[in-house]
Amino acid sequence: GAGVSQSPSNKVTEKGKDVELRCDPISGHTALYWYRQSLGQGLEFLIYFQGNSAPDKSGLPSDRFSAERTGGSVSTLTIQRTQQEDSAVYLCASSQQGDSGELFFGEGSRLTVL
Amino acid sequence: KNQVEQSPQSLIILEGKNCTLQCNYTVSPFSNLRWYKQDTGRGPVSLTIMTFSENTKSNGRYTATLDADTKQSSLHITASQLSDSASYICVVTHYNNNDMRFGAGTRLTVKP
């Protein structure tokens, strides 16, 4: 596709369940980022993938959060044993040049934990 | 304390009027400063990106300015339209580690 694609666009789950959020970056973009945006708040960095380098996981809030990027393309963010405070919009962005390049964001996945 | 502070938190203006949004930062040294527009329920879209050596960048009715000495940036919107209603986010990238710091955004509402 022409842009960053995220799925699902909306996810409602029960507390304690695991969820997986998917991000398809723009083809050829080597850098991929995950952010979390709570209602009315700024973007919170979660994790950063750049090419074949080890990901920067410094933003992951707990060990319930993990992410992988297969084949340098599609990424999956997994949240285990979801809690109500995990409710937020999870945004994925990709860039051709890492941090020096323009970031292209997906539309986000809205997660609601009941 | 957030390294990128935006003001005002929210702003309401009438269609056709101009407005200026502020971004103050403490990130130092920095490599670039970006402004994004985020419509409700959508992902942010880039408006401008300025390196530390640039002091102004325009994109249609949007003009961003940068004063690296005072560590301030502003986004000026001219002849506002209803479609300008959105959150505007300032992002500053650290020069040494490429760490990006996001402001909390300014929520702009343009009324007819």
PDB file of all heavy atoms in Angstrom, chain A residues 33 35 37 41-43 91 99-103 105-107, chain B residues 32 34 36 38 41-44 46 89 98 100 102-104:
ATOM      1  N   TYR A  33       8.481   2.493  14.154  1.00  0.00           N
ATOM      2  CA  TYR A  33       8.284   2.931  15.526  1.00  0.00           C
ATOM      3  C   TYR A  33       6.876   2.546  15.996  1.00  0.00           C
ATOM      4  O   TYR A  33       5.932   2.575  15.216  1.00  0.00           O
ATOM      5  CB  TYR A  33       8.374   4.454  15.630  1.00  0.00           C
ATOM      6  CG  TYR A  33       9.633   5.075  15.096  1.00  0.00           C
ATOM      7  CD1 TYR A  33       9.835   5.240  13.732  1.00  0.00           C
ATOM      8  CD2 TYR A  33      10.617   5.539  15.973  1.00  0.00           C
ATOM      9  CE1 TYR A  33      10.979   5.836  13.242  1.00  0.00           C
ATOM     10  CE2 TYR A  33      11.763   6.150  15.490  1.00  0.00           C
ATOM     11  CZ  TYR A  33      11.936   6.300  14.130  1.00  0.00           C
ATOM     12  OH  TYR A  33      13.070   6.885  13.659  1.00  0.00           O
ATOM     13  N   TYR A  35       4.188   3.850  19.041  1.00  0.00           N
ATOM     14  CA  TYR A  35       3.889   4.848  20.054  1.00  0.00           C
ATOM     15  C   TYR A  35       2.542   4.534  20.673  1.00  0.00           C
ATOM     16  O   TYR A  35       1.689   3.884  20.067  1.00  0.00           O
ATOM     17  CB  TYR A  35       3.834   6.255  19.451  1.00  0.00           C
ATOM     18  CG  TYR A  35       5.127   6.758  18.893  1.00  0.00           C
ATOM     19  CD1 TYR A  35       5.451   6.574  17.548  1.00  0.00           C
ATOM     20  CD2 TYR A  35       6.035   7.434  19.709  1.00  0.00           C
ATOM     21  CE1 TYR A  35       6.647   7.039  17.036  1.00  0.00           C
ATOM     22  CE2 TYR A  35       7.242   7.904  19.184  1.00  0.00           C
ATOM     23  CZ  TYR A  35       7.531   7.701  17.857  1.00  0.00           C
ATOM     24  OH  TYR A  35       8.715   8.155  17.344  1.00  0.00           O
ATOM     25  N   GLN A  37      -0.731   6.553  22.559  1.00  0.00           N
ATOM     26  CA  GLN A  37      -1.332   7.863  22.800  1.00  0.00           C
ATOM     27  C   GLN A  37      -2.594   7.672  23.630  1.00  0.00           C
ATOM     28  O   GLN A  37      -3.591   7.153  23.133  1.00  0.00           O
ATOM     29  CB  GLN A  37      -1.660   8.565  21.484  1.00  0.00           C
ATOM     30  CG  GLN A  37      -2.113  10.001  21.652  1.00  0.00           C
ATOM     31  CD  GLN A  37      -2.286  10.702  20.316  1.00  0.00           C
ATOM     32  OE1 GLN A  37      -2.710  10.108  19.329  1.00  0.00           O
ATOM     33  NE2 GLN A  37      -1.947  11.987  20.262  1.00  0.00           N
ATOM     34  N   GLN A  41      -3.466  13.003  25.588  1.00  0.00           N
ATOM     35  CA  GLN A  41      -2.047  13.039  25.948  1.00  0.00           C
ATOM     36  C   GLN A  41      -1.164  13.046  24.701  1.00  0.00           C
ATOM     37  O   GLN A  41      -1.618  12.769  23.598  1.00  0.00           O
ATOM     38  CB  GLN A  41      -1.695  11.820  26.815  1.00  0.00           C
ATOM     39  CG  GLN A  41      -2.508  11.700  28.080  1.00  0.00           C
ATOM     40  CD  GLN A  41      -2.269  12.859  29.010  1.00  0.00           C
ATOM     41  OE1 GLN A  41      -1.127  13.223  29.287  1.00  0.00           O
ATOM     42  NE2 GLN A  41      -3.340  13.465  29.496  1.00  0.00           N
ATOM     43  N   GLY A  42       0.097  13.346  24.924  1.00  0.00           N
ATOM     44  CA  GLY A  42       1.051  13.292  23.828  1.00  0.00           C
ATOM     45  C   GLY A  42       1.452  11.869  23.512  1.00  0.00           C
ATOM     46  O   GLY A  42       1.079  10.928  24.205  1.00  0.00           O
ATOM     47  N   LEU A  43       2.225  11.709  22.463  1.00  0.00           N
ATOM     48  CA  LEU A  43       2.683  10.383  22.063  1.00  0.00           C
ATOM     49  C   LEU A  43       3.784   9.897  22.986  1.00  0.00           C
ATOM     50  O   LEU A  43       4.719  10.618  23.304  1.00  0.00           O
ATOM     51  CB  LEU A  43       3.208  10.413  20.628  1.00  0.00           C
ATOM     52  CG  LEU A  43       2.172  10.223  19.525  1.00  0.00           C
ATOM     53  CD1 LEU A  43       1.279  11.432  19.402  1.00  0.00           C
ATOM     54  CD2 LEU A  43       2.848   9.913  18.209  1.00  0.00           C
ATOM     55  N   LEU A  91      -0.049   3.815  17.889  1.00  0.00           N
ATOM     56  CA  LEU A  91       0.328   4.327  16.572  1.00  0.00           C
ATOM     57  C   LEU A  91       1.642   3.726  16.121  1.00  0.00           C
ATOM     58  O   LEU A  91       2.587   3.600  16.900  1.00  0.00           O
ATOM     59  CB  LEU A  91       0.461   5.853  16.622  1.00  0.00           C
ATOM     60  CG  LEU A  91      -0.839   6.648  16.746  1.00  0.00           C
ATOM     61  CD1 LEU A  91      -0.558   8.053  17.223  1.00  0.00           C
ATOM     62  CD2 LEU A  91      -1.560   6.685  15.412  1.00  0.00           C
ATOM     63  N   ASP A  99      15.790   8.322  12.187  1.00  0.00           N
ATOM     64  CA  ASP A  99      15.306   9.502  12.896  1.00  0.00           C
ATOM     65  C   ASP A  99      15.508  10.803  12.137  1.00  0.00           C
ATOM     66  O   ASP A  99      14.921  11.815  12.481  1.00  0.00           O
ATOM     67  CB  ASP A  99      15.998   9.599  14.252  1.00  0.00           C
ATOM     68  CG  ASP A  99      15.582   8.455  15.149  1.00  0.00           C
ATOM     69  OD1 ASP A  99      14.415   8.421  15.525  1.00  0.00           O
ATOM     70  OD2 ASP A  99      16.433   7.604  15.428  1.00  0.00           O
ATOM     71  N   SER A 100      16.327  10.795  11.115  1.00  0.00           N
ATOM     72  CA  SER A 100      16.556  12.039  10.398  1.00  0.00           C
ATOM     73  C   SER A 100      15.539  12.249   9.305  1.00  0.00           C
ATOM     74  O   SER A 100      15.485  13.314   8.692  1.00  0.00           O
ATOM     75  CB  SER A 100      17.956  12.043   9.786  1.00  0.00           C
ATOM     76  OG  SER A 100      18.093  10.961   8.884  1.00  0.00           O
ATOM     77  N   GLY A 101      14.747  11.234   9.036  1.00  0.00           N
ATOM     78  CA  GLY A 101      13.788  11.342   7.948  1.00  0.00           C
ATOM     79  C   GLY A 101      12.384  11.610   8.431  1.00  0.00           C
ATOM     80  O   GLY A 101      12.089  11.570   9.619  1.00  0.00           O
ATOM     81  N   GLU A 102      11.527  11.886   7.474  1.00  0.00           N
ATOM     82  CA  GLU A 102      10.135  12.166   7.803  1.00  0.00           C
ATOM     83  C   GLU A 102       9.452  10.903   8.293  1.00  0.00           C
ATOM     84  O   GLU A 102       9.639   9.821   7.742  1.00  0.00           O
ATOM     85  CB  GLU A 102       9.418  12.704   6.576  1.00  0.00           C
ATOM     86  CG  GLU A 102       7.960  13.087   6.839  1.00  0.00           C
ATOM     87  CD  GLU A 102       7.303  13.707   5.627  1.00  0.00           C
ATOM     88  OE1 GLU A 102       8.029  14.038   4.679  1.00  0.00           O
ATOM     89  OE2 GLU A 102       6.076  13.829   5.638  1.00  0.00           O
ATOM     90  N   LEU A 103       8.657  11.045   9.343  1.00  0.00           N
ATOM     91  CA  LEU A 103       7.883   9.936   9.881  1.00  0.00           C
ATOM     92  C   LEU A 103       6.516   9.899   9.214  1.00  0.00           C
ATOM     93  O   LEU A 103       5.854  10.927   9.098  1.00  0.00           O
ATOM     94  CB  LEU A 103       7.668  10.095  11.381  1.00  0.00           C
ATOM     95  CG  LEU A 103       8.811   9.751  12.327  1.00  0.00           C
ATOM     96  CD1 LEU A 103       8.366   9.973  13.761  1.00  0.00           C
ATOM     97  CD2 LEU A 103       9.266   8.323  12.129  1.00  0.00           C
ATOM     98  N   PHE A 105       2.904   8.136   9.700  1.00  0.00           N
ATOM     99  CA  PHE A 105       2.126   7.415  10.702  1.00  0.00           C
ATOM    100  C   PHE A 105       0.972   6.655  10.073  1.00  0.00           C
ATOM    101  O   PHE A 105       0.387   7.081   9.071  1.00  0.00           O
ATOM    102  CB  PHE A 105       1.550   8.397  11.732  1.00  0.00           C
ATOM    103  CG  PHE A 105       2.544   8.884  12.734  1.00  0.00           C
ATOM    104  CD1 PHE A 105       3.358   9.970  12.444  1.00  0.00           C
ATOM    105  CD2 PHE A 105       2.664   8.273  13.971  1.00  0.00           C
ATOM    106  CE1 PHE A 105       4.276  10.431  13.371  1.00  0.00           C
ATOM    107  CE2 PHE A 105       3.574   8.735  14.905  1.00  0.00           C
ATOM    108  CZ  PHE A 105       4.379   9.812  14.596  1.00  0.00           C
ATOM    109  N   GLY A 106       0.622   5.545  10.712  1.00  0.00           N
ATOM    110  CA  GLY A 106      -0.611   4.859  10.405  1.00  0.00           C
ATOM    111  C   GLY A 106      -1.761   5.542  11.118  1.00  0.00           C
ATOM    112  O   GLY A 106      -1.567   6.516  11.852  1.00  0.00           O
ATOM    113  N   GLU A 107      -2.963   5.009  10.919  1.00  0.00           N
ATOM    114  CA  GLU A 107      -4.153   5.596  11.524  1.00  0.00           C
ATOM    115  C   GLU A 107      -4.331   5.169  12.978  1.00  0.00           C
ATOM    116  O   GLU A 107      -5.166   5.710  13.679  1.00  0.00           O
ATOM    117  CB  GLU A 107      -5.400   5.218  10.723  1.00  0.00           C
ATOM    118  CG  GLU A 107      -5.359   5.651   9.270  1.00  0.00           C
ATOM    119  CD  GLU A 107      -5.439   7.154   9.086  1.00  0.00           C
ATOM    120  OE1 GLU A 107      -5.452   7.904  10.097  1.00  0.00           O
ATOM    121  OE2 GLU A 107      -5.486   7.608   7.944  1.00  0.00           O
TER     122      GLU A 107
ATOM    123  N   ASN B  32      16.787  18.188  14.547  1.00  0.00           N
ATOM    124  CA  ASN B  32      15.670  18.739  13.789  1.00  0.00           C
ATOM    125  C   ASN B  32      14.449  18.933  14.671  1.00  0.00           C
ATOM    126  O   ASN B  32      14.347  18.359  15.767  1.00  0.00           O
ATOM    127  CB  ASN B  32      15.337  17.877  12.564  1.00  0.00           C
ATOM    128  CG  ASN B  32      14.910  16.477  12.938  1.00  0.00           C
ATOM    129  OD1 ASN B  32      13.884  16.288  13.576  1.00  0.00           O
ATOM    130  ND2 ASN B  32      15.679  15.484  12.520  1.00  0.00           N
ATOM    131  N   ARG B  34      10.153  19.155  14.203  1.00  0.00           N
ATOM    132  CA  ARG B  34       9.056  18.895  13.263  1.00  0.00           C
ATOM    133  C   ARG B  34       7.731  19.338  13.864  1.00  0.00           C
ATOM    134  O   ARG B  34       7.552  19.292  15.079  1.00  0.00           O
ATOM    135  CB  ARG B  34       8.956  17.405  12.964  1.00  0.00           C
ATOM    136  CG  ARG B  34      10.276  16.704  12.764  1.00  0.00           C
ATOM    137  CD  ARG B  34      10.097  15.208  12.694  1.00  0.00           C
ATOM    138  NE  ARG B  34      11.346  14.522  12.969  1.00  0.00           N
ATOM    139  CZ  ARG B  34      11.732  13.429  12.334  1.00  0.00           C
ATOM    140  NH1 ARG B  34      10.984  12.920  11.376  1.00  0.00           N
ATOM    141  NH2 ARG B  34      12.872  12.847  12.649  1.00  0.00           N
ATOM    142  N   TYR B  36       3.647  18.395  13.390  1.00  0.00           N
ATOM    143  CA  TYR B  36       2.685  17.451  12.832  1.00  0.00           C
ATOM    144  C   TYR B  36       1.278  17.946  13.093  1.00  0.00           C
ATOM    145  O   TYR B  36       1.004  18.601  14.096  1.00  0.00           O
ATOM    146  CB  TYR B  36       2.824  16.060  13.471  1.00  0.00           C
ATOM    147  CG  TYR B  36       4.019  15.282  13.004  1.00  0.00           C
ATOM    148  CD1 TYR B  36       5.257  15.452  13.609  1.00  0.00           C
ATOM    149  CD2 TYR B  36       3.916  14.369  11.962  1.00  0.00           C
ATOM    150  CE1 TYR B  36       6.358  14.721  13.187  1.00  0.00           C
ATOM    151  CE2 TYR B  36       5.012  13.648  11.531  1.00  0.00           C
ATOM    152  CZ  TYR B  36       6.228  13.834  12.150  1.00  0.00           C
ATOM    153  OH  TYR B  36       7.319  13.129  11.722  1.00  0.00           O
ATOM    154  N   GLN B  38      -2.561  16.397  13.611  1.00  0.00           N
ATOM    155  CA  GLN B  38      -3.270  15.150  13.861  1.00  0.00           C
ATOM    156  C   GLN B  38      -4.765  15.421  13.942  1.00  0.00           C
ATOM    157  O   GLN B  38      -5.252  16.019  14.911  1.00  0.00           O
ATOM    158  CB  GLN B  38      -2.796  14.477  15.145  1.00  0.00           C
ATOM    159  CG  GLN B  38      -3.428  13.111  15.375  1.00  0.00           C
ATOM    160  CD  GLN B  38      -2.896  12.399  16.604  1.00  0.00           C
ATOM    161  OE1 GLN B  38      -2.367  13.015  17.519  1.00  0.00           O
ATOM    162  NE2 GLN B  38      -3.033  11.067  16.628  1.00  0.00           N
ATOM    163  N   GLY B  41      -8.911  11.062  15.597  1.00  0.00           N
ATOM    164  CA  GLY B  41      -9.055   9.681  15.164  1.00  0.00           C
ATOM    165  C   GLY B  41      -8.136   9.274  14.040  1.00  0.00           C
ATOM    166  O   GLY B  41      -8.284   8.180  13.483  1.00  0.00           O
ATOM    167  N   ARG B  42      -7.188  10.119  13.693  1.00  0.00           N
ATOM    168  CA  ARG B  42      -6.247   9.801  12.609  1.00  0.00           C
ATOM    169  C   ARG B  42      -4.814   9.830  13.136  1.00  0.00           C
ATOM    170  O   ARG B  42      -4.553  10.284  14.245  1.00  0.00           O
ATOM    171  CB  ARG B  42      -6.386  10.827  11.472  1.00  0.00           C
ATOM    172  CG  ARG B  42      -7.799  11.058  10.978  1.00  0.00           C
ATOM    173  CD  ARG B  42      -8.389   9.826  10.310  1.00  0.00           C
ATOM    174  NE  ARG B  42      -7.706   9.449   9.103  1.00  0.00           N
ATOM    175  CZ  ARG B  42      -7.974   9.940   7.901  1.00  0.00           C
ATOM    176  NH1 ARG B  42      -8.917  10.854   7.758  1.00  0.00           N
ATOM    177  NH2 ARG B  42      -7.311   9.526   6.842  1.00  0.00           N
ATOM    178  N   GLY B  43      -3.890   9.351  12.308  1.00  0.00           N
ATOM    179  CA  GLY B  43      -2.490   9.449  12.682  1.00  0.00           C
ATOM    180  C   GLY B  43      -1.930  10.818  12.341  1.00  0.00           C
ATOM    181  O   GLY B  43      -2.465  11.535  11.502  1.00  0.00           O
ATOM    182  N   PRO B  44      -0.845  11.223  13.007  1.00  0.00           N
ATOM    183  CA  PRO B  44      -0.234  12.530  12.711  1.00  0.00           C
ATOM    184  C   PRO B  44       0.322  12.570  11.288  1.00  0.00           C
ATOM    185  O   PRO B  44       0.812  11.576  10.770  1.00  0.00           O
ATOM    186  CB  PRO B  44       0.898  12.630  13.736  1.00  0.00           C
ATOM    187  CG  PRO B  44       0.555  11.649  14.814  1.00  0.00           C
ATOM    188  CD  PRO B  44      -0.177  10.546  14.129  1.00  0.00           C
ATOM    189  N   SER B  46       2.920  14.924   8.781  1.00  0.00           N
ATOM    190  CA  SER B  46       3.981  15.920   8.849  1.00  0.00           C
ATOM    191  C   SER B  46       3.599  17.207   8.133  1.00  0.00           C
ATOM    192  O   SER B  46       3.051  17.193   7.037  1.00  0.00           O
ATOM    193  CB  SER B  46       5.250  15.347   8.208  1.00  0.00           C
ATOM    194  OG  SER B  46       6.280  16.293   8.232  1.00  0.00           O
ATOM    195  N   ILE B  89       1.306  18.970  16.844  1.00  0.00           N
ATOM    196  CA  ILE B  89       2.315  18.359  17.708  1.00  0.00           C
ATOM    197  C   ILE B  89       3.709  18.791  17.286  1.00  0.00           C
ATOM    198  O   ILE B  89       4.046  18.756  16.093  1.00  0.00           O
ATOM    199  CB  ILE B  89       2.215  16.824  17.655  1.00  0.00           C
ATOM    200  CG1 ILE B  89       0.809  16.376  18.070  1.00  0.00           C
ATOM    201  CG2 ILE B  89       3.264  16.178  18.553  1.00  0.00           C
ATOM    202  CD1 ILE B  89       0.539  14.902  17.805  1.00  0.00           C
ATOM    203  N   ASN B  98      19.493  10.599  18.559  1.00  0.00           N
ATOM    204  CA  ASN B  98      18.325  10.557  17.688  1.00  0.00           C
ATOM    205  C   ASN B  98      17.024  10.269  18.433  1.00  0.00           C
ATOM    206  O   ASN B  98      16.044   9.837  17.831  1.00  0.00           O
ATOM    207  CB  ASN B  98      18.509   9.526  16.564  1.00  0.00           C
ATOM    208  CG  ASN B  98      19.470  10.018  15.507  1.00  0.00           C
ATOM    209  OD1 ASN B  98      19.517  11.206  15.214  1.00  0.00           O
ATOM    210  ND2 ASN B  98      20.244   9.120  14.945  1.00  0.00           N
ATOM    211  N   MET B 100      13.593  11.059  19.837  1.00  0.00           N
ATOM    212  CA  MET B 100      12.575  12.058  19.502  1.00  0.00           C
ATOM    213  C   MET B 100      11.705  12.350  20.715  1.00  0.00           C
ATOM    214  O   MET B 100      11.196  11.426  21.351  1.00  0.00           O
ATOM    215  CB  MET B 100      11.714  11.563  18.347  1.00  0.00           C
ATOM    216  CG  MET B 100      12.396  11.692  17.012  1.00  0.00           C
ATOM    217  SD  MET B 100      11.330  11.224  15.643  1.00  0.00           S
ATOM    218  CE  MET B 100      11.443   9.443  15.772  1.00  0.00           C
ATOM    219  N   PHE B 102       8.291  14.271  22.016  1.00  0.00           N
ATOM    220  CA  PHE B 102       7.029  14.800  21.541  1.00  0.00           C
ATOM    221  C   PHE B 102       6.415  15.763  22.548  1.00  0.00           C
ATOM    222  O   PHE B 102       6.385  15.463  23.748  1.00  0.00           O
ATOM    223  CB  PHE B 102       6.029  13.653  21.305  1.00  0.00           C
ATOM    224  CG  PHE B 102       6.323  12.819  20.102  1.00  0.00           C
ATOM    225  CD1 PHE B 102       7.344  11.884  20.111  1.00  0.00           C
ATOM    226  CD2 PHE B 102       5.581  12.965  18.940  1.00  0.00           C
ATOM    227  CE1 PHE B 102       7.617  11.099  18.998  1.00  0.00           C
ATOM    228  CE2 PHE B 102       5.833  12.184  17.827  1.00  0.00           C
ATOM    229  CZ  PHE B 102       6.855  11.254  17.855  1.00  0.00           C
ATOM    230  N   GLY B 103       5.902  16.876  22.055  1.00  0.00           N
ATOM    231  CA  GLY B 103       5.080  17.719  22.892  1.00  0.00           C
ATOM    232  C   GLY B 103       3.698  17.114  23.036  1.00  0.00           C
ATOM    233  O   GLY B 103       3.330  16.199  22.288  1.00  0.00           O
ATOM    234  N   ALA B 104       2.942  17.618  23.999  1.00  0.00           N
ATOM    235  CA  ALA B 104       1.594  17.090  24.248  1.00  0.00           C
ATOM    236  C   ALA B 104       0.596  17.597  23.224  1.00  0.00           C
ATOM    237  O   ALA B 104      -0.527  17.092  23.152  1.00  0.00           O
ATOM    238  CB  ALA B 104       1.144  17.436  25.653  1.00  0.00           C
TER     239      ALA B 104
END
